[in-house]
Amino acid sequence: MADEEGTSLQDLYKNILRDGYSEGGHVFSGASANFIAGAAAGCTTLILIYPLDIAHTRLAADIGRSNVRQFRGIYHFLSTIREKDGIQGIYRGLPASLQGMIVHRGLYFGGFDTIKEILSEESKTELTLWKRWVVAQAVTTSAGLLSYPLDTVRRRMMMQSGLEQPMYHSTLHCWKTIYRTEGVSSFYRGALSNIFRSTGAAAILVLYDEVKKFMKWGGL
């Protein structure tokens, strides 16, 4: 759902950037417009759904029998955190999440469009479906690996919501603590499974590309 919303927003931001003019021509064009639009779309989506994202992450770790769980559901989690920590508690870990989103979505959306445009210009024809899927898979895997340390910090910060004594005082403190106590490898714990999961994200890029072609062909 977030990926589908992101693709629509990315097109909106890209059109805004490319339709804007300065004295020298377009304000942004080509790769810069693609990457900025991708990052902006990802950040916009994240801010809108962040309360649900943090609730999902926190509730997934709240295991055990119903009578011993800390939270009974999404509404109970959000209302409890708001009463205890205020709005900032619901948005705990947002800076780290935004940093990761800029890197990941900038490469995910921007990289796909940029490489696709370059290859299309070189071949003078539209890329075939399998070539676009290869590009999408390469971009998705690269974006996931480069942004994974930021995602690790994001999840660690999220997991502190509702705790009496948080382990990390800030995003920077979280980075330092993980590095000093667990080493660099801890930032990439679980990265392999994330690579396998990226196949679905790559399919979304290609599918959305096909839908746009169909809508353009149908005059929608």
Side-chain angles (χ1 to χ4, degrees):
M1 182 67 177
D3 285 330
E4 293 170 358
E5 292 175 355
T7 48
S8 301
L9 282 171
Q10 194 250 355
D11 284 338
L12 173 62
Y13 282 124
K14 187 165 62 175
N15 290 334
I16 292 173
L17 290 170
R18 291 186 171 182
D19 288 343
Y21 287 90
S22 63
E23 293 181 0
H26 293 287
V27 178
F28 295 100
S29 61
S32 60
N34 291 337
F35 283 99
I36 294 172
C43 290
T44 301
T45 304
L46 175 68
I47 292 171
L48 292 174
I49 68 169
Y50 195 79
L52 296 176
D53 192 23
I54 193 172
H56 169 267
T57 302
R58 190 67 179 84
L59 290 172
D62 195 19
I63 58 177
R65 295 182 179 178
S66 299
N67 59 342
V68 296
R69 290 178 182 173
Q70 186 176 2
F71 306 107
R72 294 190 296 272
I74 293 177
Y75 178 77
H76 182 242
F77 168 80
L78 294 175
S79 59
T80 301
I81 298 303
R82 186 178 181 280
E83 291 176 4
K84 182 179 179 182
D85 301 328
I87 295 297
Q88 63 268 29
I90 296 176
Y91 282 89
R92 190 183 300 276
L94 181 62
S97 298
L98 288 173
Q99 292 164 11
M101 193 59 66
I102 290 171
V103 175
H104 185 272
R105 289 312 197 218
L107 293 172
Y108 176 69
F109 291 127
F112 177 71
D113 286 344
T114 300
I115 296 174
K116 186 180 67 174
E117 289 169 4
I118 291 172
L119 293 177
S120 295
E121 288 176 3
E122 290 179 352
S123 63
K124 305 298 181 182
T125 58
E126 188 175 353
L127 290 181
T128 58
L129 183 63
W130 74 268
K131 287 183 179 180
R132 276 180 286 145
W133 184 85
V134 170
V135 171
Q137 187 63 58
V139 166
T140 304
T141 302
S142 301
L145 287 174
L146 288 172
S147 64
Y148 200 80
L150 293 162
D151 190 52
T152 297
V153 173
R154 174 188 72 89
R155 283 182 275 109
R156 294 286 185 99
M157 293 298 294
M158 280 182 165
M159 291 302 297
Q160 294 193 127
S161 292
L163 297 181
E164 295 293 335
Q165 296 181 335
M167 182 182 297
Y168 312 112
H169 307 305
S170 64
T171 301
L172 180 59
H173 182 247
C174 183
W175 275 98
K176 290 180 177 179
T177 302
I178 294 174
Y179 176 73
R180 290 172 180 172
T181 60
E182 302 176 42
V184 176
S185 60
S186 291
F187 288 110
Y188 286 93
R189 191 170 295 162
L192 183 60
S193 62
N194 195 60
I195 292 175
F196 291 121
R197 200 179 68 178
S198 69
T199 303
I204 289 175
L205 281 177
V206 178
L207 179 61
Y208 182 72
D209 210 37
E210 286 296 302
V211 171
K212 285 196 299 182
K213 283 170 55 181
F214 176 78
M215 293 178 68
K216 186 176 181 180
W217 174 75
L220 299 176

